[in-house]
Amino acid sequence: MEEKPKAKINLNRVAMPHQDPKARARNYSEVALGYTDAMALEEASRCIQCPKRPCVGGCPVNVDIPEFIKAVRDNDMVEAVRVLKSKNALPAVCGRVCPQETQCEQVCTLAKKQAPIAIGRLERYVADWDLGHQDQRSPTVLPPPTGKKVAVIGSGPAGLTCAADLAKFGHKVTVYEALHTAGGVLMYGIPEFRLPKKIVQAEVDYVKSLGVDVQLDSVMGKLATVDELLESGYDAIFLGTGAGLPMFLDIPGENLNGVYSANEYLTRTNLMKAYLFPEYDTPIKIGKRVAVIGGGNVAMDSARCALRLGADVVYIVYRRSRTEMPARHEEVENAEEEGIVFKMLTNPKQILGDDKGWVKAMECYEMELGEPDASGRRRPIVKQGSEFTMDVDVVVIALGTTPNPLIASTTKGLETTRRGTVVADEQTGKTVKDRVWAGGDVVTGAATVISAMGAGKRAAASIDAFLKGA
Amino acid sequence: MYKILSKEKLTPVIDCLKVEAPAIAKKARAGQFVIIRIDEVGERVPLTLADWDAAAGTITLVAMEIGASTCKLGGLKTGDSILNLVGPLGLPSEIEKFGTVVCVGGGVGIAPVHPIARSLRQAGNKVISIIGARNRDLLFWEDKMRLVSDELIVTTDDGSYARKGLVTEPLKEILEREKVARVVAIGPAIMMKFCSLTTKPFNVPTVVSLNSIMVDGTGMCGCCRLSVGGQTKFSCVDGPEFDGHQVDWDIVFDRQKVYLKEEKEALDRWKECQCQKS
């Protein structure tokens, strides 16, 4: 008997096509263009469909990754969509902004050969196909209504995921959103060129199509408290209010005109469309020389927005070195390709203003790295006498965010930490307050879209169990 | 969509709109504000509540036509709608029995002072009100203010109506005349600064309402930040009312000017559009 030849494993990961860096640095169109059909087929065919399926465990919402990839390979897109969306209500978002390199792709069997399957790119391909073929969408079959009502506060990734799952369990869900657009950080934070707003809108519309009611312009804690919602007839409440409060540096000059929190800078640009001023009414100061302080994804987003708004030079000012930067490698690379200048081991001492109260420069220290600190990263130390001045006219502070205290401060019986986060069970999202769950950044502090979605999903399961037991 | 149930002009450039907003009306308290976004391309504009009626489910907004957005608002008619309306935001005024309270309203600031004066009077205070404007054409609600005040003084800068002069002059006279427990001053920043300077030597607690430039109005962006007693505060969530003696007024003035150039550009564009329409 002839032995079956062992299939040769293809280690050529199909690259993602991108807009040319020079062109894209001045426009708001999406940077990553997405796979073509042929590219997707080729990449999907590389998956060896290993029986261990480590990728599924690497995904915070446990998408059945090998199954959807197999469907792509078999050219059964309707099935690929079904598999993907049965676990993930926002796949077009995740396919774009998830850090797959530290999740599903990191544990892919082919990662040992430095060629993990490009799961994120395939996810995006499937989700985009779905958005373009809504007529072929198999309608989600919803169970008969349970008669239970749940209020979800916040329409970001955690809230939308929780709402979608609860609706699929048959509960009546109302989502309350403070802003005039649903989507939370997906709308106000992540820029158009990385996550087109029409994609987010389509995902929100999908959640609505499951019967979820979305109430905009509703600042909970002000318009109604959590207890008032419970009294008004909701059986359970999920808090997905995120981490929306900006941190500042607390250095001289921080209140000068031209100093923005990244939240303000990105909200003006993305949510309010200041890049289209005066067609849109919201203005933003167009800096010629912009310094963005911080090394995370939000810093990269701010820097790349500054460039697109028309800056001549944009600096990323970060107090540690390149290795310690928390931003996704891909985003750092994108920013660098577009011409962002990285000033590593640099920390601001003060921001200097002109006589009219506008930023004109920033004085910085050079830093060096010492022993690792609690975060495991080497601690930055000021080099004495190293002060130098950078001429800048806009400064964006992207140091991270903390949860908004609006809900916690108006809700009796909710436990919060010193950092302002709401205490909730890691597995179920249950808070110490009766009938109240929480998940996402409001519990963890600023983290990723997908981890918030995972929390929303686990909370939905726990709420469902509670409601069905009750 | 939030329907405008009635709209009137209080002066040629000051508009008063009654808007259907039952949920907000139910919760509103003196000193709080709302944020409006007029249409799809609109900016988010904070407006301090001028009045509300929980039973009727309405709120009253008063705005002066200064920039493109307020002019756009002024162009709306009864029956039109505002696309987005969110509130009530900010902390309510501190209302308790203080004794004698002086309420100062300057220009369009007369509108938010009115419900505060009313609440203070209801709480048992003796309320002396001073309302002032640049000229007769910018003055409104004299009758409404008289109804909620034990004494009302009206001033115009140019003397075109009532007493000629600035609101700080009668304020000083009252402070010299009798014991005042508290002063509430709402109006242009420069007026609030000088009211605070006037009360300082008398050591009378002075509350000012800072309607800074905002985006979200929920503490998210920090656009409205100011320095009070050396600490950074957000007007939207820590205010809008602050101790006038502790406010760093220079930062308030500077930060109000951030978008002067853009505001002028938007206003010119608005005027041009209006000309083309007519």
Side-chain angles (χ1 to χ4, degrees), chain A residues 234-254:
Chain A
Y234 287 107
D235 298 290
I237 291 184
F238 175 77
L239 307 176
T241 47
L245 240 49
M247 294 205 266
F248 284 92
L249 280 160
D250 206 15
I251 57 169
E254 208 158 33

Side-chain angles (χ1 to χ4, degrees), chain A residues 376-394:
Chain A
R377 294 177 300 175
R378 292 179 63 192
R379 195 164 63 88
I381 304 165
V382 171
K383 268 198 216 170
Q384 289 307 326
S386 66
E387 288 94 327
F388 68 98
T389 301
M390 303 166 66
D391 287 339
V392 291
D393 56 0
V394 163

Side-chain angles (χ1 to χ4, degrees), chain B residues 19-44:
Chain B
V19 186
E20 192 173 55
I24 298 174
K26 208 170 94 186
K27 281 281 176 168
R29 284 168 66 190
Q32 290 188 297
F33 67 95
V34 295
I35 284 188
I36 64 165
R37 193 173 74 119
I38 299 168
D39 53 31
E40 206 41 66
V41 299
E43 59 183 333
R44 293 172 65 96

Side-chain angles (χ1 to χ4, degrees), chain A residues 228 254 257 260-261 281, chain B residues 27 72 218 221 225 254 259:
Chain A
E228 284 168 337
E254 208 158 33
N257 289 355
Y260 289 92
S261 73
D281 293 344
Chain B
K27 281 281 176 168
K72 208 193 261 184
T218 62
C221 76
R225 67 191 184 277
D254 281 345
Y259 297 110

Side-chain angles (χ1 to χ4, degrees), chain A residues 18 20 34 96-97 135 149 158 173 195 203 211 215 265 311 313 316 326 335 379 414:
Chain A
H18 283 91
D20 173 69
R96 288 174 166 81
V97 303
D135 49 326
K149 283 171 65 185
V173 186
L195 180 63
E203 305 267 56
Q215 292 288 326
Y265 201 70
V313 56
I316 288 275
R379 195 164 63 88
L414 212 56

Side-chain angles (χ1 to χ4, degrees), chain A residues 206-261:
Chain A
Y206 165 70
V207 175
K208 283 190 190 166
S209 78
L210 301 171
V212 171
D213 176 33
V214 179
Q215 292 288 326
L216 303 173
D217 298 331
S218 304
V219 180
M220 288 300 141
K222 289 285 182 191
L223 199 60
T225 63
V226 166
D227 286 302
E228 284 168 337
L229 287 174
L230 287 170
E231 282 158 27
S232 74
Y234 287 107
D235 298 290
I237 291 184
F238 175 77
L239 307 176
T241 47
L245 240 49
M247 294 205 266
F248 284 92
L249 280 160
D250 206 15
I251 57 169
E254 208 158 33
N255 293 331
L256 286 165
N257 289 355
V259 181
Y260 289 92
S261 73

Side-chain angles (χ1 to χ4, degrees), chain A residues 27-45:
Chain A
N27 72 45
Y28 280 84
S29 304
E30 199 168 5
V31 168
L33 300 170
Y35 275 170
T36 61
D37 295 346
M39 289 172 179
L41 184 65
E42 186 185 337
E43 185 63 18
S45 304

Side-chain angles (χ1 to χ4, degrees), chain A residues 260-321:
Chain A
Y260 289 92
S261 73
N263 262 4
E264 181 184 355
Y265 201 70
L266 292 175
T267 302
R268 282 183 181 272
T269 311
N270 302 318
L271 180 73
M272 305 310 296
K273 303 214 181 328
Y275 63 91
L276 297 174
F277 178 87
E279 191 190 322
Y280 278 71
D281 293 344
T282 304
I284 193 164
K285 163 79 178 166
I286 310 288
K288 284 288 149 207
R289 302 174 62 84
V290 180
V292 178
I293 302 162
N297 288 324
V298 173
M300 300 304 136
D301 285 347
S302 303
R304 296 168 73 194
C305 278
L307 201 62
R308 284 158 174 79
L309 283 166
D312 294 333
V313 56
V314 182
Y315 300 103
I316 288 275
V317 175
Y318 182 55
R319 62 191 184 136
R320 306 190 208 233
S321 76

